[in-house]
Amino acid sequence: MPYLTAPVLAPGTLSSTAQPTLPTGDGLLLRPWRAEDAPAVHAAFQDPVMQQWHARAADSVDEVGGWIEEWRKAWTQEQTAQWAVVDGGTDLLLGRVALREVHLDDGQAEMAYWTTPAARGRGVAARATVALSRWALDDVGFHRLELMHAVRNEASCRVATKTGFALEGTKRSAVLHPDGWHDMHLHARVRGDGSPSAER
């Protein structure tokens, strides 16, 4: 039975080229993960704030090394795409930004991010989100990017709002965190909304 609509993005849209490094234009780089990032990621996951909003723990540097290998391979599978967010001058790891739940046929993906404790309060998550959003919507041709966070995670809500992800509603009791079920805010950007900015 034929479909009545054509795929928004064809298979191979991502995997046919190497994962790019994306500059934010203000001192940060979004680059593919490297094996040597494992100690810094492990350290980030020891932070109580990270543990509050993430369901995954990191018990060892070796375990994180396995994650990074998965993140690197994921590009070719076109289901998720992960970037390290680093200082453009020193290569110091400041966070992570990703497209998850990638559906090329529908031209949709879910934005996700975290930052290291030392990077918080410097606009790192917002700047990285803007850079990845511009690339995904304007350069690649995704139609819609969604962003979800726990309603109680006010910092993440500020990032979403600041970068032009409109609040569309609340998904009740949608995600299980270590302290129980959380309502989740659903934000989204659609191609044509206008260029996102971290300065809003």
Side-chain angles (χ1 to χ4, degrees), residues 53-180:
W53 303 120
H54 290 77
R56 199 173 195 182
D59 291 334
S60 69
V61 173
D62 285 345
E63 179 186 14
V64 173
W67 299 357
I68 290 175
E69 184 61 24
E70 293 173 5
W71 296 345
R72 289 170 55 83
K73 290 179 179 177
W75 177 260
T76 63
Q77 299 166 352
E78 298 189 306
Q79 296 175 348
T80 185
Q82 309 254 3
W83 282 263
V85 182
V86 301
D87 183 284
T90 66
D91 202 46
L92 178 69
L93 181 69
L94 301 175
R96 162 262 202 178
V97 68
L99 297 177
R100 304 189 307 185
E101 303 294 332
V102 173
H103 298 282
L104 294 178
D105 281 359
D106 297 326
Q108 297 188 18
E110 179 186 340
M111 180 77 66
Y113 46 75
W114 54 255
T115 55
T116 64
R120 292 186 192 132
R122 297 166 49 188
V124 169
R127 291 150 64 194
T129 296
V130 166
L132 185 53
S133 297
R134 285 177 176 160
W135 176 81
L137 294 169
D138 299 340
D139 297 347
V140 180
F142 278 87
H143 175 70
R144 176 181 169 89
L145 300 178
E146 295 186 348
L147 190 162
M148 284 203 310
H149 63 82
V151 170
R152 287 170 44 197
N153 190 343
E154 296 178 359
S156 192
C157 197
R158 286 194 296 271
V159 171
T161 302
K162 186 177 184 180
T163 56
F165 279 77
L167 178 61
E168 295 188 339
T170 302
K171 299 178 71 170
R172 296 179 301 130
S173 194
V175 174
L176 182 61
H177 286 275
D179 62 350

